[in-house]
Amino acid sequence: MTALFTVGRSPIRRLLMAIAGMLLLVAAFDIVAGHRLSDPPSVSDDGVLTSKGRTERRTDLVWGSLFVVVGGSMVAVGFGGWLRGRSAVEIHDKVLRLRIAGPFATMDIPWSEIVSVRSGRDYDDDGRVPVPILLVEVEDRTDYPDGLWGAVWDGNTLQVDADGWATTVDDVAIRTELMLERPLEEEDL
C-alpha cells in the first residue's frame, strides 16, 4: 500500500535535539575531567584530594553520568529520527495511518469509519501557548485502543498532537478532507 501523502516530524527539531544532547555530553566531560568551566575538586597543597574534594568528585561523577545518559539519549533520538524519518501521518487510498499506537506502531482508520477531520488548537495547562492538534472524528471508537502516544480520545473524536510536524496541521486536515470527499464524488458519477 503506497502512501499518497506523508507527514514527517520536523527535521530541524530533531537536529536541535541532537545538538542539545552533544552540548550535554561536552558539559559532562567538563564536569568530570576537563574543568574549563566547572571547578575542579579541592586538593591539598601537595595535590591530594581533601575530604571535601572527594565529596565534590563523587558529586561531579553523579552529575557527569546523568549528563552522559541524557545527552547520549538525546543524540540517539535526534539523529536516529532524523536519519530514519518515520512518518507521523500517512494518507492512503483506503486508510488514514497515524503513528500513535506506540513509538514504532501505527493505527489505521479506514475512510469509511471517519466522520470528519479538522485542525484545532489545544491550549496548554496555563492557556497561553496553543498546541496544534488534528481532530479525527470516527463513527464508533470502541474498535480503537485507548493508551495512545501523543493522542487522546474525547468521545468519538481523536485529538492527535501535531506539534513538531514538518507540514502544518491545517494542510493535513485539508488533504484528509479531500480524501473523505473523494469516494462521494466517485459514487455520484
Side-chain angles (χ1 to χ4, degrees):
M1 183 183 325
T2 305
L4 301 173
F5 181 72
T6 60
V7 177
R9 301 275 180 202
S10 171
I12 292 173
R13 282 189 179 203
R14 291 177 182 212
L15 183 62
L16 290 175
M17 179 185 285
I19 290 170
M22 286 188 280
L23 288 174
L24 283 174
L25 292 174
V26 169
F29 174 76
D30 183 64
I31 290 170
V32 174
H35 302 297
R36 291 241 179 211
L37 298 174
S38 64
D39 294 330
S42 302
V43 293
S44 64
D45 292 337
D46 46 339
V48 178
L49 285 174
T50 62
S51 62
K52 181 181 176 186
R54 285 191 296 269
T55 303
E56 291 170 345
R57 180 75 179 143
R58 282 191 299 268
T59 304
D60 288 349
L61 289 174
V62 168
W63 280 109
S65 300
L66 179 66
F67 280 27
V68 165
V69 169
V70 173
S73 299
M74 289 176 72
V75 168
V77 169
F79 279 138
W82 192 51
L83 294 174
R84 229 175 325 181
R86 290 192 173 117
S87 57
V89 177
E90 294 177 6
I91 297 175
H92 294 272
D93 279 334
K94 301 201 185 290
V95 297
L96 173 64
R97 179 171 290 159
L98 303 167
R99 187 168 304 282
I100 57 175
F104 305 111
T106 59
M107 183 174 83
D108 291 347
I109 305 174
W111 293 113
S112 60
E113 295 180 20
I114 297 176
V115 175
S116 70
V117 179
R118 60 193 186 282
S119 63
R121 303 289 181 264
D122 183 27
Y123 289 87
D124 254 351
D125 296 333
D126 57 5
R128 291 186 204 158
V129 180
V131 177
I133 56 174
L134 182 68
L135 302 163
V136 181
E137 184 180 353
V138 296
E139 291 177 11
D140 184 21
R141 70 159 246 156
T142 56
D143 296 336
Y144 301 104
D146 282 330
L148 300 171
W149 287 54
V152 294
W153 287 102
D154 182 18
N156 283 340
T157 303
L158 179 64
Q159 299 177 352
V160 183
D161 182 7
D163 193 30
W165 288 0
T167 305
T168 65
V169 70
D170 298 322
D171 189 31
V172 175
I174 290 169
R175 289 176 184 266
T176 52
E177 277 294 324
L178 289 173
M179 287 300 290
L180 278 174
E181 293 172 5
R182 186 178 57 114
L184 296 174
E185 292 172 359
E186 289 175 1
E187 289 175 3
D188 291 342
L189 295 177

